[in-house]
């Protein structure tokens, strides 16, 4: 299996590439600059244990075309729509996994949701109903993802309008040794994406004795 990570040269994209490759999933790391993508992919391969899958670095369109089915969007929200516009002709028959959070430009402790309600919904509106968009991996620390000695310390909430695509993304993300939960249709992304700035606030607070926190769904003891 080959997945694409668009915006893969950023911290979140690099961390996901490492985690998926270690789990045996080949990664096409997409960048606006294919040469930079190749350089970063080569540096990531040096961090992986023997037996990991390959990470290749190419431009965003080539990465999208290389994906068997799953294309992960990991760009800043400021580049969200313009990136999707450029990739739309190449996304037919694929599932877009949107991990983007619309953080406020001048304050990452806040979100500024687009008119559609969330980044996930904005992507679905832009791409049309023939290309399923699934929101996932919004609340995971990039620092945690990039440190392969640390387990991913949170559960993953997954939402989108296609149940079939949701289940496929849950199966993919489960390869990262995390618990996934079906959070319902794309409208749930309004809540899920808004959790990220709350976590950022806690993680930078001097009153909180930890950083890189995530969220978990806990079953009752009774």
């Amino acid at each position: 299996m080959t997945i694409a990570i668009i915006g893969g040269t950023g911290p979140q994209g690099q961390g996901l590439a490492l985690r998926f490759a270690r789990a045996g999933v080949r990664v096409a790391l997409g960048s606006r600059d294919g040469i930079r993508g190749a350089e970063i992919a080569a540096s990531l391969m040096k961090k992986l244990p023997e037996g990991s899958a390959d990470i290749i670095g190419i431009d965003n369109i080539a990465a999208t075309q290389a994906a068997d089915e799953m294309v992960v969007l990991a760009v800043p929200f400021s580049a969200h729509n313009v990136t999707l516009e450029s990739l739309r002709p190449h996304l037919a028959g694929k599932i877009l996994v949107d991990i983007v959070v619309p953080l406020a430009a001048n304050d990452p402790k806040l979100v500024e949701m687009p008119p559609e309600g969330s980044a996930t919904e904005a992507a679905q509106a832009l791409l049309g109903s023939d290309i399923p968009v699934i929101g996932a991996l919004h609340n995971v620390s990039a620092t945690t993802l990039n440190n392969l000695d640390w387990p991913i310390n949170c559960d993953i909430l997954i939402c989108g309008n296609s149940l079939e695509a949701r289940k496929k993304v849950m199966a993919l993300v489960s390869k990262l040794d995390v618990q996934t939960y079906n959070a319902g249709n794309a409208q749930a992304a309004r809540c899920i994406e808004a959790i990220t700035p709350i976590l950022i606030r806690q993680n930078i607070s001097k009153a909180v004795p930890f950083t890189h926190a995530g969220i978990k769904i806990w079953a009752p003891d009774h």
Side-chain angles (χ1 to χ4, degrees):
M1 172 193 289
T2 298
I3 67 168
I5 301 179
I6 306 304
T9 56
Q12 204 85 7
Q14 289 188 45
L16 285 174
L18 286 170
R19 295 282 177 163
F20 277 118
R22 189 176 67 170
V25 179
R26 187 171 183 266
V27 176
L29 198 72
S31 172
R32 289 177 298 175
D33 180 347
I35 294 174
R36 172 169 164 75
E39 291 171 347
I40 293 206
S43 71
L44 293 175
M45 287 299 299
K46 294 176 181 177
K47 300 178 182 180
L48 288 167
E50 186 176 348
S52 299
D54 289 337
I55 302 173
I56 62 169
I58 46 184
D59 65 74
N60 284 334
I61 290 176
T64 301
Q65 293 170 335
D68 294 330
E69 186 175 29
M70 303 285 185
V71 177
V72 179
L73 185 66
V75 299
F77 185 65
S78 58
H80 183 267
N81 287 8
V82 68
T83 302
L84 288 178
E85 289 279 9
S86 69
L87 297 181
R88 180 163 49 181
H90 311 284
L91 284 168
K94 303 184 191 293
I95 296 170
L96 182 80
V97 183
D98 196 332
I99 75 167
V100 178
V101 174
L103 297 174
N106 298 316
D107 189 349
K109 302 186 297 299
L110 299 172
V111 286
E112 290 182 354
M113 292 299 190
E116 296 84 356
S118 64
T120 301
E121 291 170 281
Q124 190 66 82
L126 191 154
L127 295 177
S129 59
D130 289 341
I131 300 171
V133 176
I134 303 300
L137 295 160
H138 297 105
N139 313 134
V140 188
S141 160
T143 300
T144 296
L145 288 174
N146 279 278
N147 190 330
L148 293 179
D149 293 330
W150 295 352
I152 297 175
N153 59 327
C154 60
D155 297 332
I156 308 299
L157 302 173
I158 294 176
C159 64
N161 292 338
S162 167
L163 177 59
E164 179 184 5
R166 241 182 285 157
K167 288 180 176 179
K168 288 182 178 181
V169 174
M170 290 173 71
L172 173 67
V173 175
S174 293
K175 293 179 182 292
L176 302 182
D177 196 25
V178 293
Q179 177 65 55
T180 63
Y181 287 94
N182 181 348
N185 66 24
Q187 192 175 33
R190 302 177 188 187
C191 302
I192 299 168
E193 293 173 19
I195 292 171
T196 295
I198 297 172
L199 290 172
I200 291 172
R201 179 179 291 276
Q202 300 308 309
N203 288 332
I204 65 176
S205 172
K206 294 180 180 178
V208 177
F210 52 75
T211 58
H212 314 308
I215 61 167
K216 279 185 172 287
I217 308 298
W218 287 99
D221 293 332
H222 52 80

